[in-house]
Amino acid sequence: MTHTPNCFSLNTIAKDEDGTITPFAIIMVLIFISIGGLAGDFNKAVSERTQLQTAADSAAHAALYSVEFKSHDEARTDALNVIQSMLPTSAYKDAMLTSDIDFGYIDGVTGEFVLDQTSREAVRTFARLETSRGNASRNFLLFVIGFDTFDISVSSVYAT
């Protein structure tokens, strides 16, 4: 009777290098998915910020134009109508509220906006996608590591 060596001995298994690339491949795939998730979610946030900035600029312009001929409240309503027509309600709900539209003037010395709700010289608007408003920018892949949303805030000032 001949004795054949046991091909499944511990020494044989420990020295065998077959399949060692599998754990490395799994780790690399996870790293690439994380980097891709970060790039994709960041790109989405930048795109939403650009849309939000464009809408805030348009709303400020509409308010400044309207306040020349209408009351401050009517100008605020016109600004809100502009931003609501530009942004889809599903993603940008409450991005701008009436309280986010201020009237004032530009200080000639400092060049800064000065709040004066009776003025008709300048308008400042804020638009926000924030967790506190319930409209934060949702992430597609970063939620896996616990980063569910981005808060985005923009402002715009128009003056005559």
Side-chain angles (χ1 to χ4, degrees):
M1 177 160 135
T2 59
H3 180 53
T4 58
N6 185 356
C7 64
F8 295 109
S9 70
L10 287 178
N11 284 338
T12 306
I13 292 173
K15 292 178 182 178
D16 187 13
E17 294 180 3
D18 289 345
T20 56
I21 197 70
T22 303
F24 178 72
I26 290 171
I27 290 170
M28 292 306 291
V29 165
L30 291 174
I31 289 171
F32 288 136
I33 287 173
S34 298
I35 291 171
L38 179 62
D41 287 340
F42 184 75
N43 187 33
K44 177 182 174 285
V46 168
S47 174
E48 288 175 337
R49 185 192 181 287
T50 301
Q51 289 178 333
L52 202 60
Q53 184 67 59
T54 302
D57 291 345
S58 297
H61 183 263
L64 186 62
Y65 181 78
S66 294
V67 81
E68 290 291 324
F69 307 104
K70 299 178 182 179
S71 71
H72 287 82
D73 289 336
E74 290 172 318
R76 284 185 179 94
T77 301
D78 289 346
L80 290 175
N81 288 339
V82 166
I83 198 167
Q84 288 170 355
S85 69
M86 293 182 72
L87 301 174
T89 306
S90 59
Y92 296 91
K93 181 180 180 252
D94 295 333
M96 184 179 289
L97 304 173
T98 305
S99 59
D100 294 325
I101 304 167
D102 297 321
F103 294 94
Y105 60 92
I106 302 297
D107 186 310
V109 176
T110 64
E112 294 181 9
F113 180 85
V114 178
L115 188 63
D116 178 3
Q117 295 297 350
T118 61
S119 176
R120 295 178 181 272
E121 294 178 28
V123 176
R124 177 179 62 189
T125 60
F126 296 99
R128 298 178 175 102
L129 297 178
E130 295 178 338
T131 305
S132 62
R133 289 190 179 193
N135 64 351
S137 174
R138 302 246 180 252
N139 293 331
F140 292 125
L141 294 174
L142 291 179
F143 74 90
V144 173
I145 61 171
F147 199 65
D148 296 341
T149 60
F150 285 119
D151 285 347
I152 302 170
S153 180
V154 298
S155 65
S156 181
V157 176
Y158 272 71
T160 56

